[in-house]
Amino acid sequence: MEKKKYDDKKKKDQSSLSDGIDVLVNQETEQIYSEAARQHVVAYEGIDYAQGKRLERGLEKISRSKVNSQYRDMNIKQQAGFSAEVKEVARNNAEQIVKRKENRLIRTDDLGRVNDPLYDFQVLDGSGNVIKGAGSQMKFVGKNSRECLNKLMSSKFQKYRDHDVAFVIPSDYYDGVNEEIDKDIRRLRMQQRQAENQGNQNLAVHKKEKINELVKVKKRLKKSKVSNEDALKARMSPKLSTAEDIHDLSMQAGTAYVEHALPMDMAISGTANIIAVCQNKKSVEEAMKDFTLTLGKKEACNYLSGYSQTTIMAFMKNSKSSLVRSLGQTNLPAATVQTLLNSADAFYDLICGRISGAAFMQRVGKNGLTTASTMAYGTVGQLLIPIPVAGMMVGCMIGCVLSSMSYGCMTQALKEARLAKEERIQVEQACRKNIEAIQNYRQMLDGLFEQDMFDLKSTYDAAFSEIKKAFQTGNADTFISGVNTITRKNKGHVAFDSVKEFDNFMKSDTSLDF
């Protein structure tokens, strides 16, 4: 029972520090993935509030387009083509953001070039300038790969081929169209050879020109990030289509969050368990089991945190409200999600009737205060101590301590307000736990650095114990012994080991060497 209480206390003590560090470590990851997910919010709404731009078409607007009952299939297919263009831009830009690349895809309609005669898309560099030769035309045509190629090679699309415009075709047609091109090239080469053998040079030249044109089209063919099915879904169910893309990015964010936080979580949990083993509070088997279970639970929470934050921040960053957009750029969403995850047990206890409403608010409030304070001071610590990880950890520790102090002040105020006896007891227990947590954090930090510090610490403890004893008894020889212990540990030179040796040294002509 005592071991269980010890384990529970240690886990709670580690929680705020670990959560704060995890959020700071993943701050850039969350900003990147939430910005990528925001591209899909913009694509659906048709408005980029962060940039102050309105798209010519958004998925929601396209889905409300009128359909003539007599030409329903034709109208839906054409409108699905527009949805595919919007979807292509969102998916392409989201991928660029995740890969930390600057180039962005944009529809020519959104550049003010509505119904551009050659291009549906242009590529912008990091400064927003159009990159020459990077434009493309999307063609979601034909019922299958063969029909798609026939249309691409038809006279209707001759102007695109003449200007070497790249064709963006459905992802589910891409491989098939390439295979059909290869088949046509093989067939035309046979026909070319036959014409040459028959002495029909005009026909041979004509076949050669067709081959060259097919080769050129194949070289400029681009695989869309959208399939025919994706385009239809975006037209008919834009909300579902948008939700699926945000879901995919949120899953990626959750995985990335775990990958980045895992080393630090392993260090914190591992060090705490090593200390417990060294203090004979846990066996090696118990420590390994606790390490595995704690780490598994922690990374599951990290995944949920990364997933949730990406979704929430994506919508915050494209909010109509400038205040909400600004908050989406901060750690507030992350702190909120972490607090909710950390307070799950408090919600459960409240629902089960194990704690009162006041006790619930105390627990939730403490989680939020400590996590937010840890994160804030972690950022400041990294700025003041520009050493990777070290500055952040020192800042996080200070945040934990200060939040504990603040929480203590609040509970004191509640006490002065004459709380009921039961609630006052709960406050006193919380204060004692906070004091114990601060003491345990010091032990954790000792273990987070070097294992060699254990030996050094024991030497200093013994030396200071002698010095303290010397002050209490007035024994100068004991004082000298304690000081010399520290000197020898640091490989310094000891001139004398007692008062008598000191007196003899002072009477001699020997010089003092350091």
Side-chain angles (χ1 to χ4, degrees):
M1 181 62 71
E2 290 300 321
K3 285 186 177 181
K4 185 177 186 303
K5 289 182 179 179
Y6 171 81
D7 290 342
D8 291 343
K9 178 168 67 66
K10 290 291 288 182
K11 290 174 183 177
K12 290 180 180 178
D13 291 345
Q14 296 165 19
S15 178
S16 295
L17 179 61
S18 179
D19 289 340
I21 291 175
D22 286 347
V23 171
L24 290 173
V25 168
N26 282 288
Q27 184 174 6
E28 181 185 10
T29 300
E30 283 307 317
Q31 291 296 334
I32 287 173
Y33 277 96
S34 61
E35 179 60 25
R38 188 183 76 87
Q39 305 306 307
H40 295 289
V41 179
V42 172
Y44 173 78
E45 296 179 345
I47 304 175
D48 188 336
Y49 289 103
Q51 301 294 326
K53 297 179 180 179
R54 183 179 293 273
L55 307 186
E56 185 67 23
R57 289 189 180 97
L59 296 179
E60 193 275 334
K61 180 180 179 180
I62 295 172
S63 70
R64 292 187 284 104
S65 300
K66 294 182 179 181
V67 175
N68 188 319
S69 58
Q70 295 182 348
Y71 306 99
R72 185 179 185 281
D73 291 344
M74 184 184 300
N75 289 164
I76 292 295
K77 186 174 180 60
Q78 182 184 30
Q79 293 163 13
F82 295 143
S83 296
E85 291 180 14
V86 176
K87 204 76 175 171
E88 179 75 10
V89 169
R91 288 184 175 178
N92 184 283
N93 289 343
E95 183 178 285
Q96 291 290 98
I97 291 169
V98 170
K99 291 181 177 179
R100 277 77 164 174
K101 294 184 178 181
E102 294 185 345
N103 290 353
R104 296 290 183 267
L105 190 68
I106 188 171
R107 296 176 69 241
T108 50
D109 285 3
D110 297 325
L111 282 173
R113 290 155 48 182
V114 180
N115 296 324
D116 187 280
L118 291 178
Y119 302 108
D120 286 329
F121 307 113
Q122 287 288 358
V123 179
L124 305 180
D125 61 20
S127 301
N129 301 315
V130 174
I131 299 177
K132 293 182 179 180
S136 56
Q137 174 75 208
M138 175 173 273
K139 289 302 178 187
F140 273 47
V141 293
K143 296 179 181 179
N144 51 51
S145 299
R146 181 70 254 177
E147 285 192 14
C148 179
L149 178 58
N150 290 342
K151 290 183 179 293
L152 295 181
M153 300 304 296
S154 66
S155 59
K156 182 179 179 180
F157 295 155
Q158 184 68 49
K159 64 178 181 179
Y160 304 119
R161 301 198 300 274
D162 289 343
H163 288 84
D164 290 333
V165 177
F167 287 121
V168 180
I169 63 174
S171 59
D172 49 326
Y173 280 0
Y174 182 78
D175 291 337
V177 170
N178 275 289
E179 291 176 2
E180 294 297 331
I181 289 176
D182 291 339
K183 289 179 183 178
D184 286 357
I185 290 175
R186 288 194 296 269
R187 176 174 53 80
L188 287 168
R189 281 176 178 165
M190 289 180 60
Q191 294 174 355
Q192 179 189 0
R193 286 194 294 269
Q194 290 175 355
E196 289 173 344
N197 293 335
Q198 295 171 0
N200 191 341
Q201 291 301 316
N202 290 334
L203 180 59
V205 170
H206 177 69
K207 297 299 180 182
K208 179 62 177 177
E209 290 174 348
K210 285 201 167 189
I211 292 173
N212 291 339
E213 198 164 18
L214 281 168
V215 170
K216 184 168 62 175
V217 168
K218 183 177 181 179
K219 184 179 179 181
R220 300 286 288 168
L221 207 61
K222 290 187 177 182
K223 184 177 182 178
S224 172
K225 299 186 182 302
V226 182
S227 68
N228 282 290
E229 183 180 353
D230 292 337
L232 183 60
K233 182 181 290 186
R235 162 60 181 86
M236 304 304 294
S237 304
K239 285 185 179 179
L240 176 60
S241 176
T242 301
E244 288 177 346
D245 278 330
I246 294 177
H247 167 70
D248 289 342
L249 282 167
S250 297
M251 289 178 65
Q252 293 177 40
T255 301
Y257 203 112
V258 170
E259 290 176 352
H260 292 164
L262 184 59
M264 188 62 69
D265 291 336
M266 289 178 67
I268 293 175
S269 180
T271 301
N273 279 285
I274 289 173
I275 294 174
V277 172
C278 293
Q279 295 175 341
N280 294 321
K281 293 180 178 179
K282 285 183 183 180
S283 67
V284 175
E285 292 76 12
E286 289 173 332
M288 289 297 295
K289 180 179 179 181
D290 179 75
F291 174 78
T292 303
L293 293 176
T294 300
L295 200 62
K297 181 179 179 181
K298 177 64 179 174
E299 298 319 314
C301 288
N302 279 337
Y303 180 87
L304 290 174
S305 179
Y307 182 100
S308 303
Q309 290 169 36
T310 298
T311 302
I312 293 170
M313 291 170 67
F315 285 94
M316 290 182 69
K317 286 183 173 183
N318 205 57
S319 170
K320 293 180 180 179
S321 168
S322 59
L323 174 61
V324 175
R325 291 199 303 273
S326 297
L327 293 176
Q329 302 291 338
T330 69
N331 280 329
L332 178 62
T336 303
V337 171
Q338 285 287 1
T339 299
L340 291 174
L341 291 174
N342 292 342
S343 303
D345 57 342
F347 279 102
Y348 182 76
D349 288 343
L350 178 66
I351 294 172
C352 294
R354 296 174 183 170
I355 58 175
S356 65
F360 168 77
M361 293 304 296
Q362 281 183 318
R363 286 169 63 178
V364 173
K366 179 177 181 295
N367 287 339
L369 172 66
T370 307
T371 299
S373 181
T374 300
M375 290 160 53
Y377 277 87
T379 301
V380 174
Q382 189 63 77
L383 292 174
L384 296 179
I385 308 176
I387 302 175
V389 181
M392 181 177 65
M393 289 184 63
V394 172
C396 286
M397 183 60 198
I398 293 172
C400 285
V401 173
L402 292 181
S403 66
S404 296
M405 293 171 61
S406 299
Y407 188 68
C409 292
M410 288 189 291
T411 53
Q412 179 63 25
L414 291 175
K415 180 179 179 180
E416 293 175 356
R418 298 181 181 178
L419 290 173
K421 180 179 179 180
E422 180 181 351
E423 293 180 340
R424 187 177 68 253
I425 292 173
Q426 292 175 351
V427 171
E428 291 172 349
Q429 291 175 344
C431 290
R432 285 195 295 271
K433 289 180 179 179
N434 281 326
I435 293 172
E436 294 172 357
I438 293 171
Q439 294 171 342
N440 288 323
Y441 278 132
R442 178 182 175 181
Q443 296 177 7
M444 283 176 56
L445 284 179
D446 288 340
L448 282 174
F449 293 99
E450 300 178 8
Q451 292 298 324
D452 293 341
M453 290 296 291
F454 284 113
D455 179 53
L456 187 62
K457 184 176 181 295
S458 63
T459 301
Y460 273 81
D461 286 344
F464 284 124
S465 179
E466 280 193 275
I467 293 171
K468 181 179 179 182
K469 183 178 179 181
F471 280 123
Q472 292 173 340
T473 62
N475 190 322
D477 284 346
T478 302
F479 177 83
I480 293 172
S481 175
V483 172
N484 284 349
T485 298
I486 296 175
T487 302
R488 289 191 176 96
K489 185 63 179 179
N490 289 280
K491 299 181 180 180
H493 174 70
V494 174
F496 44 82
D497 285 310
S498 65
V499 174
K500 184 178 180 180
E501 289 182 10
F502 174 74
D503 290 339
N504 293 335
F505 174 79
M506 294 299 294
K507 293 175 182 178
S508 70
D509 296 329
T510 306
S511 61
L512 184 62
D513 295 325
F514 291 95

